[in-house]
């Protein structure tokens, strides 16, 4: 793999030299080319609003540095056929990391977003950040070695984590599922190994939303919400074509919306939170009590064969086998999630609601019950063109989103 | 009042000639000058990204037409002191109209937003659009006559109405408080009298939010929500510094968010909507039953002296006089509104929640109870810098917002 000496990053700076060296006008040109493909200098002048003369100068410098290349002539608009410019994707690389409570997925892509290598394995976030991030670095180095890519050729790392993130600092703040990670400096730890990389940390659901926006069911949709249903419930919001993180970076924390003022006490201390009533553990608890009271023979049998435990997946399997109690548990969960989502639809008037996360695939009753509840509880004007569906990228949303997150921050300040 | 012949609008076109004749680059220049005050040609070239040569040409045309004028020299940056350009606010006028269910407020302003005349009077939207809009036109002509302004000098009218509006068409869609206005062509009716004016219709709460954003408590705040509590409950949303209307223009329709699954049936047919449980009529109904059962002597006495009716204002007066039942009614209402708002805070993570509308001023218990509930139910990260307060412009928010709405649409396509 050939290296252009002019673009070789400085491993000691702790900043991405490529990005740091780019002027705002240069970044604008690159962003335009990444979004739209090949363009002529005249196109670029029109899109950016800069003069033709300025554009020729900016492009000249970028071509010299190997960041852009000319790829033959485009269609003539009457005069000489214009030379088309192309962003050179193999000028550097990015990594996407999707960290789940019990899984770790890593992918390597070029600057054009083409996925080159990927790897997934079980992981336990409660092993703590040192153990997990050591493993992340080792795996990433392995993927890069396979392609002959040096650590300093990695320009950005996007990482999605299952907890609340202060986006501006990249720190997890009091994450309930991974307390050992509270305020842990993920960015600087990863930069010890990948010194040229910008590291961008975000909440897993925001990352899923970005993935759906860039390459999933949300392409071209201005306003939509991704709901992740698993151990907890969270939302990723796309507003006016961009991931919306709110004033403190904690928008979408919808798991503790109240859906029943007479409901059970949640681990947060409040009453009737949708997460406490309708997420994975609540489904499992209802299934256990149906097994223990023998109201469902199927669940009782699974309970015994599992050695005295039941999971949300067991409820899904029982429902698929026709168990009415299991179906009812799933429907009730869908109704409660639907109640919370109806409020968000009334407020936000999105075009699309996408369901993701492990529990979202538990059975078609869940989606159907959520749809029914939202349609019943939200005004006709806000539901007439509303689509409610599964996330388009399925299990890949987090990984693709993490790559998109890295790509969006190669060329702009965090 | 002198008229520049070159800018005299064509009364027969049905479009605003000023706006229609402006090119996008000209509009950009005007918007920049309106937002930032006086600027030099060099400043304008920098802000818009156009070349200095192009900017000189654009500015030349606008000065010729009287839209911009030069107002002396600015500070030198080393060379010749630059000539500063200024947007000429008396080149035209706009009107703001705040239509309530039972009130009508109208104001006239110049293109710089300076309020010139205003008038308010009782009105009944149920008299229907013809009666009300005839009155609007008569009052507006009267205000303009006082200043010697001809109808064709009015370039835009912003109007806030108490019902759901499809913003793209300016039509009310199935408005519950004003059924006679359903799909009524407000725009073309007003243009029959004010042929040069763009007419922009929006929901009253969106207009309040715009007023707060441009000249109230929301100045400089990126993300906030205005809640109007009156006969109904609605929200105006500012997201990333702009009024957010959602995919169908009906974002903020929060009155039918469920706050009690075991609550009463709402007029929308659903159970436990916050509007049915906590808005004006609900307060009045609870007060009436306290009067009839004599649990509150004060409310019972008011009930008799009012001739068998009680309003939300009566509850406020009784609470102010120390009546414990009235205070409790207000606190309960605040708690329920707070439950709905807590869900929105969790989802949207705004920096500011502003309360407006007739019922918002019913007593300090309301604000205090809303604050307590939101702080209890929302996660610490999203409430640590959250301010919950009364709308800064008070009763003027709708009128100022309507003027701002008109001003924002003088120079851009609707």
């Amino acid at each position: 793999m050939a290296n252009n000496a002019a673009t070789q990053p400085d491993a000691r700076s702790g900043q991405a030299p490529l990005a740091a060296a780019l002027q705002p006008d240069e970044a604008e040109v690159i962003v335009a080319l990444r979004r739209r493909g090949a363009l002529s200098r005249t196109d670029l002048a029109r899109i950016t609003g800069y003069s033709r003369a300025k554009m020729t100068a900016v492009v000249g410098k970028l071509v010299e540095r190997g960041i852009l290349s000319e790829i033959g002539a485009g269609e003539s608009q009457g005069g000489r056929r214009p030379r088309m410019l192309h962003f050179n994707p193999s000028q550097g690389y990015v990594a996407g990391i999707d960290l789940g409570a019990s899984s770790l997925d890593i992918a390597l892509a070029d600057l054009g977003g083409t996925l080159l290598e990927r790897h997934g394995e079980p992981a336990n976030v409660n092993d703590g950040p040192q153990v997990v991030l050591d493993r992340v670095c080792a795996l990433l180095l392995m993927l890069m070695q396979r392609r002959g890519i040096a650590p300093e050729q990695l320009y950005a790392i996007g990482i999605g984590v299952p907890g609340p993130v202060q986006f501006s600092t990249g720190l997890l703040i009091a994450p309930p599922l991974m307390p050992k990670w509270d305020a842990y400096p993920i960015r600087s730890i990863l930069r010890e190994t990948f010194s040229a990389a910008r590291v961008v940390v975000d909440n897993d659901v925001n990352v899923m939303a970005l993935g759906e926006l860039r390459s999933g069911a949300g392409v071209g949709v201005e306003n939509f919400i991704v709901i992740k249903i698993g151990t907890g419930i969270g939302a990723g919001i796309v507003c006016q074509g961009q991931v919306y993180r709110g004033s403190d970076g904690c928008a979408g924390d919808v798991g503790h919306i109240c859906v029943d003022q007479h409901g059970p006490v949640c681990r947060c201390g409040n009453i009737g939170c949708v997460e406490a009533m309708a997420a994975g553990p609540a489904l499992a608890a209802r299934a256990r009590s149906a097994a223990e009271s023998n109201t469902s023979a199927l669940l009782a049998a699974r309970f015994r064969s599992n050695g005295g435990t039941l999971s949300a997946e067991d409820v899904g399997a029982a429902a698929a086998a026709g168990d009415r109690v299991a179906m009812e548990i799933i429907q009730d969960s869908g109704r409660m999630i639907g109640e919370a989502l109806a409020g968000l639809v009334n407020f936000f008037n999105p075009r699309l609601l996408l369901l993701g996360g492990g529990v979202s695939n538990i059975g078609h009753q869940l989606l159907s019950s959520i749809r029914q509840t939202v349609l019943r509880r939200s005004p006709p004007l806000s539901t007439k063109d509303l689509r409610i569906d599964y996330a388009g990228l399925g299990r890949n949303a987090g990984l693709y989103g993490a790559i998109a997150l890295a790509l969006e921050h190669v060329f702009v300040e965090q």
Side-chain angles (χ1 to χ4, degrees), chain A residues 153-312:
Chain A
Q153 286 178 277
L154 194 73
Y155 286 138
I157 300 173
I159 173 165
V161 293
V165 173
Q166 195 171 43
F167 188 70
S168 56
T169 59
L171 299 177
L172 279 148
I173 305 293
L177 295 181
M178 46 201 299
K180 290 179 186 166
W181 294 67
D182 189 20
Y184 191 83
I186 298 174
R187 279 190 194 169
S188 43
I189 295 298
L190 290 180
R191 276 188 186 149
E192 284 176 11
T193 305
F194 304 99
S195 57
R198 284 180 190 278
V199 181
V200 192
V201 186
D202 203 354
N203 173 270
D204 55 355
V205 202
N206 289 345
V207 172
M208 282 174 68
L210 182 62
E212 293 292 338
L213 175 65
R214 292 288 170 240
S215 52
V219 170
V221 182
E222 283 285 289
N223 308 304
F224 68 91
I225 304 174
V226 175
I227 303 289
K228 184 178 184 184
I229 312 167
T231 309
I233 294 180
I237 305 166
V238 169
C239 180
Q240 317 275 37
Q242 292 195 307
V243 173
Y244 173 79
R245 296 183 177 88
S247 297
D248 303 290
C250 62
D253 195 356
V254 300
H256 301 280
I257 289 180
C258 180
V259 288
D260 189 350
Q261 292 204 312
H262 312 275
V265 176
C266 179
R267 63 187 158 84
C268 76
N270 279 306
I271 304 284
C273 299
V274 63
E275 184 168 302
M277 299 189 70
L283 288 166
R286 276 195 63 184
R288 249 190 330 272
S289 88
E292 283 165 351
S293 65
N294 225 8
T295 45
S296 158
L298 208 57
L299 288 171
R302 278 193 161 254
F303 185 63
R304 282 190 303 273
S305 67
N306 284 359
T309 66
L310 277 175
S311 67

Side-chain angles (χ1 to χ4, degrees), chain A residues 338-361:
Chain A
E339 291 279 352
L341 293 186
L344 304 184
V345 166
N346 294 7
F347 174 75
F348 190 62
N349 183 205
R351 179 64 74 237
L352 184 63
L353 279 184
L354 295 173
L355 307 185
V359 177
S360 67
N361 298 310

